[in-house]
Short mmCIF file of all heavy atoms in Angstrom, two decimals:
data_model
loop_
_atom_site.label_atom_id
_atom_site.label_comp_id
_atom_site.label_asym_id
_atom_site.label_seq_id
_atom_site.Cartn_x
_atom_site.Cartn_y
_atom_site.Cartn_z
N LEU B 27 -14.88 5.78 3.37
CA LEU B 27 -14.58 5.16 2.08
C LEU B 27 -15.11 6.03 0.94
O LEU B 27 -16.11 6.72 1.10
CB LEU B 27 -15.23 3.77 2.00
CG LEU B 27 -14.53 2.67 2.80
CD1 LEU B 27 -15.41 1.41 2.86
CD2 LEU B 27 -13.17 2.32 2.19
N ALA B 50 -5.10 4.51 16.41
CA ALA B 50 -6.02 5.59 16.05
C ALA B 50 -5.98 6.65 17.14
O ALA B 50 -5.58 6.38 18.28
CB ALA B 50 -7.44 5.07 15.88
N CYS B 64 -11.92 15.25 13.32
CA CYS B 64 -10.56 15.12 12.80
C CYS B 64 -9.86 13.98 13.52
O CYS B 64 -9.75 14.00 14.75
CB CYS B 64 -9.78 16.41 13.01
SG CYS B 64 -10.45 17.83 12.11
N TYR B 115 4.09 8.38 18.48
CA TYR B 115 3.81 7.16 19.23
C TYR B 115 4.60 5.98 18.65
O TYR B 115 5.17 5.17 19.39
CB TYR B 115 2.32 6.87 19.21
CG TYR B 115 1.92 5.63 19.98
CD1 TYR B 115 1.67 5.69 21.34
CD2 TYR B 115 1.80 4.40 19.34
CE1 TYR B 115 1.31 4.55 22.06
CE2 TYR B 115 1.44 3.25 20.04
CZ TYR B 115 1.20 3.34 21.40
OH TYR B 115 0.85 2.21 22.10
N GLY B 117 7.38 5.97 17.25
CA GLY B 117 8.78 6.07 17.61
C GLY B 117 9.10 5.52 18.98
O GLY B 117 10.28 5.27 19.30
N VAL B 178 2.60 13.07 3.02
CA VAL B 178 4.04 13.06 2.72
C VAL B 178 4.62 14.46 2.88
O VAL B 178 5.71 14.64 3.46
CB VAL B 178 4.29 12.52 1.30
CG1 VAL B 178 5.78 12.64 0.93
CG2 VAL B 178 3.85 11.06 1.19
N LEU B 180 3.54 16.86 4.79
CA LEU B 180 3.59 17.16 6.22
C LEU B 180 4.81 16.52 6.87
O LEU B 180 5.52 17.16 7.66
CB LEU B 180 2.30 16.66 6.89
CG LEU B 180 2.25 16.73 8.42
CD1 LEU B 180 2.37 18.17 8.90
CD2 LEU B 180 0.97 16.09 8.93
N PHE B 191 16.58 8.05 -0.22
CA PHE B 191 16.01 6.76 -0.60
C PHE B 191 14.89 6.97 -1.61
O PHE B 191 14.29 8.04 -1.68
CB PHE B 191 15.49 6.04 0.65
CG PHE B 191 16.54 5.83 1.70
CD1 PHE B 191 16.35 6.26 2.99
CD2 PHE B 191 17.74 5.21 1.38
CE1 PHE B 191 17.32 6.08 3.97
CE2 PHE B 191 18.73 5.03 2.34
CZ PHE B 191 18.52 5.46 3.64
N ARG B 224 0.00 -20.53 -7.94
CA ARG B 224 0.42 -21.56 -7.00
C ARG B 224 1.86 -21.30 -6.54
O ARG B 224 2.57 -20.50 -7.13
CB ARG B 224 0.31 -22.93 -7.68
CG ARG B 224 -1.08 -23.20 -8.25
CD ARG B 224 -1.03 -24.16 -9.42
NE ARG B 224 -0.26 -23.62 -10.55
CZ ARG B 224 -0.19 -24.20 -11.75
NH1 ARG B 224 -0.85 -25.32 -11.98
NH2 ARG B 224 0.55 -23.66 -12.70
N ILE B 230 8.49 -17.12 -11.12
CA ILE B 230 8.35 -16.29 -12.32
C ILE B 230 7.67 -14.97 -11.99
O ILE B 230 8.00 -13.92 -12.56
CB ILE B 230 7.58 -17.05 -13.44
CG1 ILE B 230 7.68 -16.27 -14.75
CG2 ILE B 230 6.12 -17.26 -13.07
CD1 ILE B 230 7.14 -17.04 -15.94
N LEU B 245 1.86 -15.76 -1.25
CA LEU B 245 0.94 -16.87 -0.98
C LEU B 245 -0.21 -16.44 -0.08
O LEU B 245 -1.27 -17.08 -0.06
CB LEU B 245 1.69 -18.04 -0.34
CG LEU B 245 2.56 -18.87 -1.29
CD1 LEU B 245 3.39 -19.87 -0.50
CD2 LEU B 245 1.68 -19.61 -2.30
N VAL B 252 -3.80 -16.85 -15.34
CA VAL B 252 -4.23 -17.41 -16.62
C VAL B 252 -3.13 -18.36 -17.08
O VAL B 252 -1.95 -18.00 -17.07
CB VAL B 252 -4.46 -16.30 -17.67
CG1 VAL B 252 -4.79 -16.91 -19.02
CG2 VAL B 252 -5.57 -15.36 -17.21
N VAL B 290 -8.26 -10.22 -16.41
CA VAL B 290 -7.70 -10.64 -15.12
C VAL B 290 -8.08 -9.64 -14.03
O VAL B 290 -8.47 -10.01 -12.92
CB VAL B 290 -6.16 -10.77 -15.24
CG1 VAL B 290 -5.52 -10.86 -13.87
CG2 VAL B 290 -5.80 -12.01 -16.05
#
Side-chain angles (χ1 to χ4, degrees):
L27 284 169
C64 297
Y115 181 86
V178 174
L180 173 61
F191 302 126
R224 306 153 298 188
I230 191 171
L245 284 172
V252 175
V290 166

